[in-house]
Amino acid sequence: MIRQRKQQHSVGESSAFISRLKENSHFTHAQTLLLYNALPDEVPTQTLINELAAQGKTVLLPRVVSDTEMELRRYSGPADLQQGAFGIWEPTGELFTAYATIDVAIIPGMAFDPEGHRLGRGKGYYDRFLAKLSPSTYKIGLCFSWQLVDYVPTDEHDIPMDEVIVQ
């Protein structure tokens, strides 16, 4: 049902999300941020990514490296991107492995619930990756109002978001 709604939904400008993020003290004080390069049916992030990089923040983007794993690469500007797996524009910058230094992680999802549980696309990339982050990394899910559901089933390995920002 969520997949069908995502396909029917027209993704618009991300300015409302950016405004809400800029009101978040965890976000505004962060120096090292993990974001995602949005797919066509996800909350747009490119404006925010470029803005943060221009401010001199350390911006990290995931890159799919196998059927089960992704890695993080530094992003310094649009020239750092090349089209990768699933048609996602992925970074080609320097490999980043200092996961404990990530202050904030902005995470996409198919759906979220009020407790911060996340439903992904089914491959488990983020589920596996979030386990590598420090417990102090503040995790923010971004979703449209129709992606917020009453309940997302979870397993013991699932890591909830600390906050979900809904438009």
Side-chain angles (χ1 to χ4, degrees):
M1 179 169 122
I2 294 290
R3 284 189 199 276
Q4 292 170 336
R5 289 182 81 182
K6 282 180 77 85
Q7 291 171 351
Q8 296 168 354
H9 185 76
S10 173
V11 174
E13 179 59 43
S14 61
S15 60
F17 286 105
I18 292 172
S19 295
R20 301 263 319 270
L21 278 168
K22 288 179 178 178
E23 295 169 2
N24 183 297
S25 64
H26 294 280
F27 178 80
T28 57
H29 292 103
Q31 291 302 309
T32 303
L33 301 102
L34 166 61
L35 288 100
Y36 63 92
N37 227 356
L39 291 171
D41 63 351
E42 293 176 332
V43 174
T45 55
Q46 195 58 50
T47 300
L48 179 62
I49 290 168
N50 287 328
E51 185 177 311
L52 292 170
Q55 291 173 6
K57 305 264 186 174
T58 300
V59 176
L60 308 169
L61 296 175
R63 177 181 167 95
V64 173
V65 294
S66 75
D67 286 343
T68 59
E69 297 295 320
M70 63 184 196
E71 65 186 13
L72 296 185
R73 296 279 175 162
R74 289 181 187 262
Y75 174 84
S76 60
D80 276 353
L81 298 176
Q82 71 180 15
Q83 198 164 21
F86 309 109
I88 299 170
W89 286 93
E90 295 183 332
T92 58
E94 177 188 347
L95 180 65
F96 184 90
T97 59
Y99 304 137
T101 66
I102 299 171
D103 300 309
V104 169
I106 308 294
I107 308 296
M110 294 291 288
F112 294 90
D113 69 18
E115 302 300 314
H117 300 121
R118 175 186 165 276
L119 177 66
R121 291 185 179 266
K123 291 265 190 180
Y125 289 109
Y126 277 98
D127 294 324
R128 282 184 291 280
F129 190 79
L130 288 173
K132 298 177 183 180
L133 299 181
S134 165
S136 66
T137 300
Y138 194 77
K139 295 166 289 304
I140 302 173
L142 295 184
C143 71
F144 296 102
S145 59
W146 49 268
Q147 290 176 282
L148 188 64
V149 298
D150 292 335
Y151 173 75
V152 171
T154 60
D155 290 326
E156 68 277 354
H157 67 274
D158 291 334
I159 297 173
M161 302 295 100
D162 295 300
E163 181 175 353
V164 177
I165 295 180
V166 183
Q167 178 177 346

